[in-house]
């Protein structure tokens, strides 16, 4: 219990620090929100009225305290332009981002585990070196550049997948998934390499353990030794790394959603930044921070459940 309460306290502190820093930085920008909202033809009295209405005459700390109080009540404020509640806008874009992140993580894990197992079993072979070279090449390419390459081959040349656009799941799962394959692969093909390398190295160490040698001496088939005896004790580091990769996935999703015209939270965040819609930006940052630290909390919790030594160390610390 002490292990989980410590992790939960860490989660709250990180979210508080991220939101506070973002709020202060947005308010230090030279842009005048009141002028933007009032429009070009607004008078000085109109601008003053809007500043009073938005609470811009209050000190930054007072405004942050009011915003934080609203968050605790479930109120993230309203968009400066659409006047739509920020929470409702994020909720309407959230399913797209979640589907993209889940598919990207799924593709990355499938590639990492399958290639990592084969590379560990054939460590030092030509196949292992080939996988290493391919991985080094892919990790050197930014996700947006990889997305352009995938669009060129699979959308423009082969016409297997749409280049842009989003089909709601209500109109059919196959059509919906076709629109997510290339965006998810654009992120996964960059992210799987690190996971694969970590799993490969850990599995090579595990395969040298006495219980693996005993399993081999018993004549167990290779697939059983790899999947039932070597994979589980070798995947702790990879699981932890998955949580840390969520930040990269979210950062990649912001770019990929705009490139493929997917109406997710990343696209909402970027359009709000260009429009200087600060309440919407603050709400999106809060959502991303909570998602990032929340996933890391779950990863830490699962790590502690898988290995009792972690819980013991956490309780002692």
């Amino acid at each position: 219990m002490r292990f989980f309460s410590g992790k939960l306290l860490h989660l709250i502190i990180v979210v508080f620090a991220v939101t506070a820093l973002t709020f202060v930085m947005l308010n230090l920008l030279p842009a005048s929100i009141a002028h933007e909202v009032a429009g070009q033809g607004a008078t000085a009295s109109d601008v003053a009225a809007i500043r009073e209405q938005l609470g811009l005459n209050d000190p930054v700390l007072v405004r942050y305290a009011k915003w934080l109080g609203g968050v605790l009540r479930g109120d993230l404020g309203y968009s400066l332009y659409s006047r739509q509640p920020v929470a409702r806008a994020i909720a309407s874009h959230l399913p797209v981002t979640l589907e993209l992140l889940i598919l990207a993580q799924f593709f990355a894990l499938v590639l990492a585990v399958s290639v990592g197992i084969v590379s560990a079993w054939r460590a030092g072979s030509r196949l292992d070196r080939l996988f290493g070279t391919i991985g080094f090449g892919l990790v050197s390419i930014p996700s947006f550049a990889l997305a352009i390459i995938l669009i060129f081959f699979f959308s423009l040349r082969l016409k297997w997948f749409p280049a842009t656009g989003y089909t709601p799941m209500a109109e059919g799962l196959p059509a919906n998934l076709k629109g997510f394959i290339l965006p998810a692969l654009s992120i996964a093909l960059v992210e799987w390499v690190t996971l694969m390398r970590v799993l490969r190295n850990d599995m090579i160490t595990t395969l040298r353990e006495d219980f693996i040698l005993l399993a081999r001496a018993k004549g167990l088939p290779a697939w059983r030794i790899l999947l039932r005896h070597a994979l589980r004790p070798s995947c702790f580091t990879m699981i932890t790394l998955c949580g840390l990769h969520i930040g990269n996935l979210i950062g990649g999703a912001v770019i990929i959603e705009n490139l493929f015209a997917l109406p997710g939270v990343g696209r909402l965040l970027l359009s709000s930044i260009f429009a200087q819609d600060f309440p919407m930006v603050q709400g999106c940052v809060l959502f991303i921070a909570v998602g990032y630290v929340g996933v890391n909390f779950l990863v830490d919790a699962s790590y502690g459940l898988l290995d009792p030594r972690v819980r013991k160390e956490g309780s002692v610390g």
Side-chain angles (χ1 to χ4, degrees), residues 111-133 135 192-193 196-201 203-204 207 226:
L111 282 170
V113 172
S114 56
V115 176
I117 290 175
V118 174
S119 293
W121 186 250
R122 299 294 183 189
S125 66
R126 289 183 179 178
L127 188 62
D128 181 31
R129 291 197 294 272
L130 176 64
F131 285 144
T133 303
W192 73 278
V193 180
M196 181 273 289
R197 286 177 176 171
V198 168
L199 179 64
R200 173 191 174 276
N201 294 337
M203 281 200 76
I204 289 175
L207 290 172
L226 289 170

Side-chain angles (χ1 to χ4, degrees), residues 98-246:
L98 285 180
E99 188 172 356
L100 175 61
L101 294 179
I102 290 172
L103 280 176
Q105 189 70 291
F106 173 75
F107 289 150
L109 281 174
V110 168
L111 282 170
V113 172
S114 56
V115 176
I117 290 175
V118 174
S119 293
W121 186 250
R122 299 294 183 189
S125 66
R126 289 183 179 178
L127 188 62
D128 181 31
R129 291 197 294 272
L130 176 64
F131 285 144
T133 303
I134 294 174
F136 180 76
L138 288 174
V139 81
S140 305
I141 304 175
S143 58
F144 68 87
L146 195 58
I148 294 173
I149 296 173
L150 293 177
I151 290 174
F152 177 76
F153 282 105
F154 293 102
S155 296
L156 301 182
R157 300 296 295 271
L158 299 175
K159 300 186 184 306
W160 288 356
F161 304 103
T164 59
Y166 167 70
T167 303
M169 199 173 292
E171 297 182 13
L173 184 59
N176 171 265
L177 289 177
K178 282 184 73 175
F180 278 98
I181 295 296
L182 293 186
L185 279 177
S186 302
I187 302 173
L189 287 178
V190 177
E191 296 298 326
W192 73 278
V193 180
T194 309
L195 302 177
M196 181 273 289
R197 286 177 176 171
V198 168
L199 179 64
R200 173 191 174 276
N201 294 337
D202 286 353
M203 281 200 76
I204 289 175
T205 303
T206 305
L207 290 172
R208 294 170 182 160
E209 296 286 341
D210 292 339
F211 69 95
I212 296 294
L213 298 177
L214 180 61
R216 283 179 169 175
K218 289 181 177 178
L220 295 179
W223 67 267
R224 190 169 180 180
I225 294 174
L226 289 170
L227 298 181
R228 296 198 58 179
H229 297 282
L231 180 59
R232 182 179 173 183
S234 306
C235 66
F236 293 135
T237 309
M238 188 185 69
I239 291 175
T240 305
L241 206 58
C242 283
L244 298 176
H245 269 210
I246 292 299

Side-chain angles (χ1 to χ4, degrees), residues 32-44 46-47 50 80-81:
S32 172
I33 301 175
H35 279 92
E36 292 292 335
V37 174
Q40 294 183 351
T43 63
D46 293 334
V47 174
I50 290 175
L80 294 179
Y81 299 99

Side-chain angles (χ1 to χ4, degrees), residues 1 38 52 128 314:
M1 183 58 71
E52 183 64 28
D128 181 31

